[in-house]
Amino acid sequence: MIELKSVTKSYSEAAKVVDRLDLKVYEGEFVILIGESGCGKTTTMKMLNRLVEPTEGQIIIDGQDIMKMDPIQLRRRIGYVIQKVGLFPHMTVGENIEVIPKLMKWDKEKRKARTMELLDMVGLPGETYYDRYPDEMSGGQQQRIGVARALATNPDIILMDEPFSALDPMTREQLQDELLKLQDELHKTIIFVTHDMDEALKLGDKIAVMKDGKILQYDTPERILKKPKDAYVEFFVGKDRLWKSPEMVYAKDIMRKNVARTSMTRTVSHALELMKKRGVNTLAVVEKQSDQPQEVLGFITRKELAKAMNEDMKIKDIMNKDVPVISEDMNMVDVLDYLAQNKLQHVYVVDEEKKLSGIVSESSIVNLITEMITDYEESKEEKKHEQ
Amino acid sequence: MNNKASFLEFIGGRYVEILELALQHIQITGIAVGFAILIGVPLGIMITRYRNTSNLVLGIANVFQTVPSLALFGLVIPFLGVGLTPSVFVLFLYALLPIIKNTYIGISNIDPSTIEAGKGMGMTGYQILTQVEVPLALPVIMGGIRISTVINIGTATIASLIGAGGLGDLIFKGISMYNNNLILAGAIPTALLALSMDAILGFVEMMLEPKGRRKMKKTFV
């Protein structure tokens, strides 16, 4: 675990680059530091391997105060990847990756075996690339080597300072995908600095939005999107972001919570009355009316009611027992798929205990989309005014 | 025709002396450049570490370079007298600037991200210097050594005025005796020496170019 306790970095009394910052990063977490240039994100990261020394505060890695550790030993325990890669041009790919293993006196076979394994891991077959020089390779390939080099001694922590910012969008996306795949296998603790919100949302388990040397919000990507803590975070995330990431919108965000419901023993006439009163075309059927969470046993629509022989028939005799339900955390894309594939107009949402928590109907989706478009238009207007 | 034939005869008759003087010449420049490397390279590295000293050090080295060599030879006589020592000392001062400057430039021009990567992954300052900075700056440093050597071979002829010996002896003897053959017997080997050293050191410089570098900016003084 990495823990920053009230860490401050200042170069003069007036200007605090990092201002009493607290941050906890648990093992295996992929944490993004994001903010505009000058917000202190890179400085914060560089304090973790003591390329920058904090003015005040404490940084603790796995229970040890890093200021009491030898900086060289500390850095060898932490992988480091930077935007400009910084490969040594006079060394081959293999030599570049083996710099630290060699300084740590690994024997030659062990070094080479590890390097070959790493090269395969980053998608550059060792047989082809081991003896190449960095200048012969593309930017994307060089950064793959940069990642392999950071992993050479198998450190638990990796620091990445805008590693993909200098690459073209296609290569960037490819490397992001591969980094995610690598992380699935390796479970490193990654601190990743970027100014690109799309990248942050895609990669991070958690995102720390920084401004003026402080963390404004430290949360999951989903919560940053949906519950920005203040106007700055909202502005930084961009109002239209949720619109662009429908996979981050879940059933529980779009469902209507107040589901019209009736009980098994009610009559057809009562059900018709209720539909008229609530202005709905469908009712969920539960054991009996109550405010407690309930299981949904069936549903009825106007069609079943119309088919009923007489108005005194009980609901339980005519209801559809085959109830379509989805879980609260199904994302919007999957919900739409589900509705389309099963030719449904609505679907009930149930919580973890299978109790009814809401309903998603075609109309609630239309409402949501309308809202999003309005927001989107507004944010476009705002941007126009800013310019 | 006649002149040329007599010049060759002249050389033929004195080739032992010319060879001896040429060896002496090489010796003087070699010692001077050797000391300049021993002092200049570390000094050049030092001023990349303490940037605020770089102007001072390069400034002082520049001053020696701008003082006319003849005057400088004269100026050291009261302190060091005449002979080999003051000559080598003056030539050493002349050789310093290109070596310090090229070392400084060679190391300063290395992409800072290369150094940052080395530091960030846990190399010590000494490891970065010996494994990254010096190998990358070596061709540029070698360029400085080459320039110093070529300049010194020329300047060393003047050193014979304060008793250093070398090919300058023949030239000055020729001047005082109005003997063109004698002047040429000193000047031509000096020029050949300078040209061949330039070629040899230029080749060494090329060989020191790291394999992985297709091209690297060379900075000459």
Side-chain angles (χ1 to χ4, degrees):
Chain A
M1 192 173 85
I2 304 172
E3 202 175 353
L4 286 84
K5 286 182 182 164
S6 192
V7 171
T8 297
K9 176 69 195 179
S10 55
Y11 292 98
S12 68
E13 273 302 308
K16 283 183 177 162
V17 187
V18 175
D19 192 2
R20 278 165 293 153
L21 184 135
D22 294 300
L23 180 69
K24 259 189 202 174
V25 178
Y26 294 97
E27 222 175 289
E29 270 185 332
F30 196 141
V31 169
I32 311 273
L33 302 178
I34 192 169
E36 286 165 350
S37 50
C39 72
K41 55 189 193 294
T42 300
T43 308
T44 303
M45 194 198 75
K46 284 186 178 172
M47 284 194 282
L48 297 178
N49 64 357
R50 290 183 60 181
L51 285 179
V52 174
E53 309 251 312
T55 319
E56 276 168 55
Q58 243 188 342
I59 300 174
I60 293 168
I61 294 179
D62 296 333
Q64 271 181 292
D65 184 342
I66 64 164
M67 293 313 290
K68 291 182 184 135
M69 292 166 74
D70 171 30
I72 300 298
Q73 295 309 319
L74 173 74
R75 288 174 196 148
R76 288 184 185 176
R77 282 179 44 189
I78 300 176
Y80 190 53
V81 184
I82 56 179
Q83 183 184 346
K84 288 170 128 185
V85 194
L87 293 176
F88 301 149
H90 59 302
M91 296 184 186
T92 61
V93 165
E95 287 166 341
N96 263 289
I97 297 173
E98 290 170 20
V99 168
I100 294 300
K102 201 171 168 186
L103 289 176
M104 290 170 77
K105 307 212 159 45
W106 291 17
D107 64 56
K108 216 172 165 186
E109 286 84 54
K110 184 180 169 193
R111 280 193 329 239
K112 182 152 185 183
R114 174 68 180 157
T115 304
M116 286 299 188
E117 179 192 7
L118 286 167
L119 283 172
D120 283 339
M121 221 187 264
V122 298
L124 299 173
E127 300 78 50
T128 321
Y129 289 94
Y130 189 85
D131 291 318
R132 292 263 187 101
Y133 283 97
D135 283 359
E136 302 166 358
M137 305 170 78
S138 70
Q141 288 173 326
Q142 289 189 19
Q143 194 55 286
R144 286 163 197 263
I145 305 298
V147 173
R149 179 176 64 180
L151 291 169
T153 55
N154 202 15
D156 297 325
I157 301 167
I158 316 253
L159 307 180
M160 305 184 97
D161 188 5
E162 307 209 20
F164 306 142
S165 305
L167 304 173
D168 66 88
M170 275 218 331
T171 314
R172 187 186 313 151
E173 202 134 309
Q174 213 179 343
L175 263 80
Q176 288 167 349
D177 292 337
E178 285 175 31
L179 180 60
L180 280 178
K181 232 185 279 166
L182 266 180
Q183 173 65 354
D184 275 346
E185 281 172 42
L186 304 175
H187 309 292
K188 301 289 180 191
T189 307
I190 301 179
I191 312 286
F192 189 107
V193 167
T194 182
H195 59 261
D196 177 354
M197 197 32 110
D198 290 313
E199 186 167 69
L201 293 169
K202 179 173 177 180
L203 298 176
D205 295 325
K206 277 190 190 160
I207 298 175
V209 181
M210 289 186 66
K211 189 181 186 240
D212 301 332
K214 289 186 166 128
I215 293 177
L216 297 181
Q217 187 170 2
Y218 182 45
D219 242 324
T220 60
E222 193 198 330
R223 288 182 56 84
I224 295 265
L225 274 178
K226 289 182 192 162
K227 301 237 162 58
K229 214 172 192 173
D230 59 21
Y232 180 81
V233 177
E234 188 174 344
F235 165 77
F236 196 76
V237 172
K239 269 191 169 170
D240 52 342
R241 189 75 56 178
L242 203 53
W243 173 237
K244 282 187 198 157
S245 324
E247 64 278 358
M248 292 229 180
V249 182
Y250 300 105
K252 65 170 180 278
D253 302 316
I254 53 175
M255 70 189 184
R256 202 173 62 230
K257 286 192 181 105
N258 187 9
V259 186
R261 59 188 85 178
T262 184
S263 62
M264 304 272 275
T265 51
R266 292 288 186 169
T267 60
V268 170
S269 64
H270 180 268
L272 275 168
E273 196 64 28
L274 188 64
M275 278 183 180
K276 212 190 283 172
K277 213 170 90 193
R278 295 282 304 264
V280 294
N281 295 318
T282 173
L283 295 174
V285 181
V286 293
E287 183 65 41
K288 56 180 183 247
Q289 292 290 78
S290 119
D291 290 336
Q292 298 301 310
Q294 288 164 306
E295 243 175 273
V296 53
L297 303 168
F299 73 97
I300 51 167
T301 65
R302 284 183 191 276
K303 208 168 81 189
E304 282 86 34
L305 292 175
K307 271 196 270 178
M309 321 258 231
N310 66 63
E311 298 206 334
D312 294 327
M313 273 184 86
K314 295 278 192 270
I315 297 294
K316 65 177 178 196
D317 299 323
I318 57 166
M319 70 179 185
N320 284 304
K321 290 199 180 91
D322 194 11
V323 201
V325 291
I326 57 172
S327 65
E328 287 183 332
D329 55 4
M330 187 182 236
N331 76 48
M332 190 165 120
V333 179
D334 292 340
V335 173
L336 288 172
D337 260 5
Y338 185 85
L339 286 175
Q341 270 178 21
N342 297 299
K343 297 198 175 62
L344 295 167
Q345 263 120 44
H346 67 269
V347 61
Y348 291 100
V349 182
V350 294
D351 62 16
E352 283 159 6
E353 282 149 16
K354 307 275 176 227
K355 307 284 195 214
L356 180 63
S357 60
I359 180 169
V360 174
S361 61
E362 284 177 331
S363 68
S364 60
I365 290 172
V366 170
N367 283 343
L368 179 87
I369 292 174
T370 316
E371 209 175 285
M372 279 175 160
I373 291 175
T374 321
D375 274 354
Y376 183 59
E377 294 293 325
E378 268 172 22
S379 71
K380 266 209 305 203
E381 283 294 310
E382 274 168 26
K383 269 174 201 157
K384 232 184 263 168
H385 286 305
E386 273 158 28
Q387 282 161 8
Chain B
M1 272 305 268
N2 212 8
N3 259 344
K4 205 183 256 176
S6 65
F7 175 64
L8 287 178
E9 263 170 42
F10 179 84
I11 298 272
R14 289 182 171 240
Y15 78 97
V16 180
E17 189 192 352
I18 293 173
L19 215 60
E20 263 172 27
L21 288 172
L23 281 174
Q24 204 174 23
H25 203 97
I26 292 170
Q27 195 188 4
I28 300 165
T29 23
I31 295 170
V33 172
F35 275 114
I37 293 170
L38 284 178
I39 305 291
V41 173
L43 212 56
I45 292 169
M46 191 202 83
I47 61 177
T48 62
R49 298 299 187 269
Y50 307 96
R51 295 267 162 155
N52 44 359
T53 63
S54 66
N55 280 338
L56 180 74
V57 172
L58 290 173
I60 292 173
N62 238 334
V63 168
F64 291 127
Q65 200 81 12
T66 49
V67 176
S69 49
L70 202 53
L72 205 53
F73 280 116
L75 282 173
V76 294
I77 295 175
F79 306 101
L80 297 171
V82 294
L84 186 69
T85 318
S87 315
V88 167
F89 181 69
V90 170
L91 292 175
F92 156 78
L93 290 180
Y94 264 87
L96 265 182
L97 180 71
I99 293 174
I100 296 174
K101 207 166 181 177
N102 273 36
T103 305
Y104 176 70
I105 288 168
I107 289 180
S108 304
N109 276 359
I110 295 171
D111 186 347
S113 63
T114 314
I115 312 295
E116 197 201 326
K119 205 174 166 194
M121 64 188 174
M123 293 175 88
T124 63
Y126 179 75
Q127 287 160 349
I128 292 174
L129 178 69
T130 52
Q131 296 181 25
V132 182
E133 290 177 300
V134 170
L136 285 175
L138 209 51
V140 184
I141 296 173
M142 199 59 214
I145 293 171
R146 182 168 60 99
I147 294 161
S148 291
T149 309
V150 173
I151 291 177
N152 260 1
I153 290 173
T155 313
T157 52
I158 302 174
S160 88
L161 279 183
I162 58 169
L167 292 163
D169 277 3
L170 293 173
I171 297 173
F172 285 110
K173 225 182 271 173
I175 291 172
S176 58
M177 294 162 68
Y178 301 106
N179 185 339
N180 279 347
N181 278 345
L182 213 50
I183 296 176
L184 289 174
I188 291 172
T190 307
L192 286 176
L193 200 58
L195 285 174
S196 52
M197 282 315 282
D198 189 41
I200 292 167
L201 293 177
F203 179 73
V204 174
E205 193 181 321
M206 212 175 67
M207 295 313 289
L208 288 173
E209 192 79 50
K211 253 194 213 161
R213 309 229 75 172
R214 276 173 297 191
K215 55 178 187 264
M216 181 156 152
K217 263 179 271 160
K218 289 218 181 64
T219 318
F220 299 113
V221 176

